[in-house]
Amino acid sequence: MDTAGHPEATARRDLELTPFRGLRYDPDRVGSLAAVTSPPYDVVVRPDGLLHLESADPHNIVRLILPQAATPTARDRQAARTLRRWRAEGILTTDPEPGLYVYEQRADDGLLQRGVIGALRLPEAGDRSVLPHEDVMPHVVAERASLMRATAANFEPLLLTYRGGHAPTPTSTAVERAAGRPPLLATTTEDGYRHRLWSITDRREIAEIQSDLSRHQALIADGHHRWATYRELRAEHPSPSPWDHGLVLLVDTARYPLRVRAIHRLLHDLPVADAVAALKGSFRVRRVDAPRAEALAVLAEAAATGNAFLLAGDGTYHLVDHPDPELLARTVPADRPAAWRTLDATVLHSTLLAHVWHVPEDSAAHISYIHDPAATVEKAERDGGTAVLMHPVREEVVRELARQGVTMPRKSTSFGPKPASGLVLRTLEP
């Protein structure tokens, strides 16, 4: 066992990152470390995503984060049985000492991301040491909570960011020192990213990192539903307990800037022709007969001066921009900052989905959230729905809204690169 909502008050307390004994794959017991990893549970978007990952290796982490069975209860029990079996068989083994973990991702295009993985103490009500920036869907939180209850484990670290500055700090020094040593593991996943992991177990070094990080405020970049799940489960267990903490990756974006991408929408029951017809008189619509990359460039140009979206699903693209100001005034809530009212995601959800297209946003039967634009368009064309491609929000807008205590519409951003699932897990049981 390791030792380890909306911010409505202005209180600010410290980040408290705690070492833990990581649960990791034994590389001698699996085909390869790359074959047992997975993207985060909500980024498995290819049509054969689950099958592809399950067939990559019989011990792929997707069997724990997205177990397949006839009912939700059966899925959770299956994941719990699988976890117990893999631990008993030595597929997953616990590191001998508690530590913090330095995690690195590299890509051929020059991207380098490094951060620290640990068990973060969950804030009390009114504590603004960790800032969310997006709303969550209750049914997803309930699903994740049920899985965590059944398995008593954190399978995937949340991605949190903070601004440490460019001058050396105890944390940056420890991270760079660790990166100069041989890693605990190194692997390259099929997306081309190279991953390395180190542990820091020296008590003095850990204490210096903890003291340094305690001065900072973190932004949830990815993992709002799991964060809400952590908080829900913490409330169910008398403190002190391992449920007081949750697994996170903390990245200093002053040193290692993240990339912010959009999350796109797939409207299952709305054909493109109907979506375009409903926009008459309220938005300008122009056909864009060009490849996807060029169409996205057109979207970016339009988004620089106002709200803009790209519809697809009928073999071409349709640029939607220049919304009617009177329509926005009637449909967008006026009790939020201007930066929130003018977000593309706000206009999409408050105006297009709710008032123009009448698409329920809380039902997976009507709308899906997909990170990859190609996959979104492919699914729309195959199923006869409408893909709504979005332009990303700037990180500084996200952070400023979060500081104001204003949450963005759900699935407004995709920060990355996201940590691969399966490199280090945290169990809440011996």
Side-chain angles (χ1 to χ4, degrees):
M1 181 184 299
D2 67 66
T3 57
H6 294 306
E8 295 169 340
T10 58
R12 164 78 182 282
R13 295 182 176 85
D14 295 339
L15 291 177
E16 184 179 323
L17 196 66
T18 303
F20 69 104
R21 295 177 63 197
L23 186 66
R24 298 189 294 110
Y25 282 99
D26 182 341
D28 296 329
R29 301 296 305 275
V30 297
S32 74
L33 288 174
V36 296
T37 65
S38 165
Y41 78 96
D42 58 341
V43 190
V44 181
V45 297
R46 62 168 72 197
D48 61 341
L50 281 171
L51 177 61
H52 171 77
L53 291 167
E54 287 179 338
S55 61
D57 189 284
H59 302 108
N60 189 283
I61 190 68
V62 77
R63 297 179 186 273
L64 297 179
I65 63 175
L66 289 172
Q68 299 300 294
T71 67
T73 299
R75 289 195 293 269
D76 297 338
R77 290 175 178 170
Q78 178 173 295
R81 288 194 301 269
T82 300
L83 177 60
R84 287 195 298 269
R85 185 174 73 253
W86 289 358
R87 295 185 70 185
E89 295 173 353
I91 304 299
L92 291 168
T93 61
T94 305
D95 284 336
E97 295 182 80
L100 301 176
Y101 294 83
V102 173
Y103 176 48
E104 175 189 277
Q105 291 169 279
R106 284 182 181 268
D108 290 337
D109 61 4
L111 180 140
L112 171 63
Q113 176 176 290
R114 289 177 179 151
V116 180
I117 296 176
L120 185 73
R121 176 173 286 279
L122 304 177
E124 303 294 335
D127 181 336
R128 287 175 52 79
S129 60
V130 178
L131 301 177
H133 73 268
E134 285 185 355
D135 289 332
V136 297
M137 292 175 274
H139 74 277
V140 177
V141 175
E143 173 194 277
R144 292 292 103 187
S146 181
L147 178 65
M148 281 192 206
R149 284 190 200 97
T151 58
N154 300 154
F155 293 135
E156 306 176 275
L158 279 64
L159 176 59
L160 272 59
T161 73
Y162 68 99
R163 303 289 292 180
H166 295 285
T169 66
T171 302
S172 68
T173 300
V175 165
E176 290 166 14
R177 184 186 301 126
R181 303 195 307 260
L184 291 175
L185 65 85
T187 190
T188 301
T189 46
E190 68 174 1
D191 57 8
Y193 281 93
R194 300 184 294 279
H195 308 261
R196 295 198 294 173
L197 189 78
W198 299 263
S199 64
I200 296 176
T201 57
D202 181 82
R203 292 186 179 182
R204 177 177 296 180
E205 195 169 19
I206 289 173
E208 290 174 348
I209 294 171
Q210 290 174 315
S211 176
D212 178 38
L213 291 177
S214 71
R215 301 182 296 107
H216 295 288
Q217 187 176 46
L219 173 75
I220 301 176
D222 185 69
H224 283 82
H225 289 90
R226 283 166 284 163
W227 181 256
T229 299
Y230 286 170
R231 293 176 66 91
E232 180 174 312
L233 295 178
R234 193 270 303 271
E236 296 175 3
H237 295 82
S239 186
S241 83
W243 299 91
D244 292 340
H245 296 73
L247 187 64
V248 305
L249 165 65
L250 274 164
V251 174
D252 177 0
T253 54
R255 286 179 170 270
Y256 303 106
L258 296 181
R259 294 173 176 173
V260 187
R261 293 188 169 94
I263 301 178
H264 312 288
R265 274 63 170 165
L266 173 62
L267 311 182
H268 297 286
D269 301 324
L270 182 65
V272 175
D274 293 348
V276 169
L279 294 169
K280 186 176 181 180
S282 57
F283 284 78
R284 183 175 70 172
V285 182
R286 290 179 287 162
R287 187 181 175 103
V288 181
D289 290 315
R292 184 178 67 256
E294 293 180 24
L296 288 171
V298 172
L299 172 63
E301 183 178 354
T305 58
N307 300 119
F309 313 90
L310 203 60
L311 308 187
D314 61 352
T316 189
Y317 296 93
H318 307 267
L319 179 68
V320 177
D321 63 357
H322 288 202
D324 174 15
E326 292 185 3
L327 175 65
L328 297 184
R330 292 197 311 270
T331 57
V332 175
D335 60 346
R336 305 287 182 92
W340 182 91
R341 297 197 306 272
T342 55
L343 289 170
D344 286 340
T346 297
V347 172
L348 173 64
H349 286 260
S350 297
T351 303
L352 287 170
L353 293 181
H355 292 275
V356 176
W357 291 330
H358 305 289
V359 174
E361 61 176 299
D362 291 326
S363 172
H366 294 93
I367 184 170
S368 293
Y369 299 84
I370 304 176
H371 293 71
D372 182 62
T376 313
V377 174
E378 177 185 344
K379 289 174 180 287
E381 292 180 344
R382 187 183 66 235
D383 301 339
T386 293
V388 183
L389 303 186
M390 311 281 288
H391 187 68
V393 183
R394 299 191 316 278
E395 180 180 359
E396 55 266 31
V397 173
V398 176
R399 191 174 294 275
E400 182 54 36
L401 285 172
R403 286 196 182 109
Q404 296 179 46
V406 178
T407 54
M408 299 167 67
R410 62 196 60 171
K411 300 294 184 181
S412 293
T413 61
S414 177
F415 284 83
K418 304 178 190 304
S421 300
L423 297 181
V424 61
L425 290 62
R426 174 180 176 253
T427 180
L428 285 76
E429 290 183 341

